[in-house]
Amino acid sequence: MPTPRCEIVNSSQPGVYHCISRCVRRAYLCGDGYEHRRSWMERRIAELTNHMGIDVFAYSILSNHFHVLLAIRPDVVEAWSDDEVADRYLRICPCRWKRRIRGIPVDSDPTAEEVDELVTDQKKLIAARKRLGCLSWFMAKLKEPIARRANVEDDCTGRFWEGRFKGI
């Protein structure tokens, strides 16, 4: 029986992990005419490591799966100010519906109003701080946009990744 991830990963302590995720339905992540998806993955990894308390040491993007060797750094995230946490979180997860209502472009930088709104809600700020140093959240934010783009490109719906990632 597999060991639950909560018994492997202590999210309150720095640690190094090797994570693997595979594609489903014989889909290609790279190779066989899909080499451009490698750049999607590389850009997304770079974007996430710029804003999260995660260091990526190495990655390998293969035809139907990828490997990533990373370190979680909750100690670094704890050192960030509330404003910095809010800004970093909103860069990864902008509130799209609020931005549309306010007339703010979805892909623009967080506004001072948005940052202040998150800083004043301590419950959400604590959750954002925790997520910025979380291995599972990093993997989710890495995989979701890739899956959406690949499904559009493949003209299909449904799962692109095989279950949750595997980590050791």
Side-chain angles (χ1 to χ4, degrees):
M1 184 169 181
T3 306
R5 190 167 289 124
C6 65
E7 292 179 16
I8 298 171
V9 178
N10 182 351
S11 60
S12 63
Q13 296 292 320
V16 177
Y17 302 95
H18 173 209
C19 301
I20 305 162
S21 196
R22 297 185 186 282
C23 297
V24 295
R25 69 175 187 271
R26 296 185 182 189
Y28 281 102
L29 178 57
C30 288
D32 200 35
Y34 295 102
E35 285 300 322
H36 60 282
R37 292 181 181 176
R38 181 181 312 278
S39 65
W40 295 355
M41 292 286 294
E42 291 169 344
R43 281 194 302 265
R44 189 64 182 167
I45 288 169
E47 180 182 356
L48 291 174
T49 55
N50 283 338
H51 302 301
M52 293 183 71
I54 305 275
D55 295 328
V56 174
F57 299 125
Y59 60 86
S60 180
I61 304 165
L62 303 169
S63 65
N64 69 341
H65 68 286
F66 73 92
H67 299 255
V68 62
L69 181 64
L70 52 84
I72 59 171
R73 299 294 311 273
D75 54 329
V76 171
V77 176
E78 285 302 318
W80 292 336
S81 70
D82 290 351
D83 286 340
E84 189 173 3
V85 168
D87 183 72
R88 288 171 179 265
Y89 181 80
L90 290 169
R91 287 177 188 276
I92 296 170
C93 270
C95 189
R96 295 180 189 285
W97 67 272
K98 282 185 182 178
R99 288 184 145 228
R100 285 188 191 106
I101 290 171
R102 294 174 180 165
I104 303 168
V106 175
D107 57 349
S108 66
D109 292 343
T111 64
E113 179 186 350
E114 291 174 307
V115 170
D116 290 341
E117 187 178 324
L118 183 55
V119 168
T120 56
D121 189 342
Q122 284 299 306
K123 194 173 182 179
K124 285 184 182 177
L125 186 67
I126 289 168
R129 187 179 296 274
K130 185 176 179 181
R131 287 176 174 175
L132 288 174
C134 177
L135 173 66
S136 292
W137 208 70
F138 174 85
M139 291 299 288
K141 292 300 164 189
L142 172 61
K143 292 168 45 174
E144 180 189 0
I146 304 303
R148 288 181 187 277
R149 287 181 75 176
N151 278 349
V152 167
E153 186 177 77
D154 295 345
D155 193 30
C156 67
T157 60
R159 297 178 68 138
F160 181 75
W161 300 106
E162 181 182 278
R164 293 189 69 194
F165 68 93
K166 293 165 182 60
I168 50 174

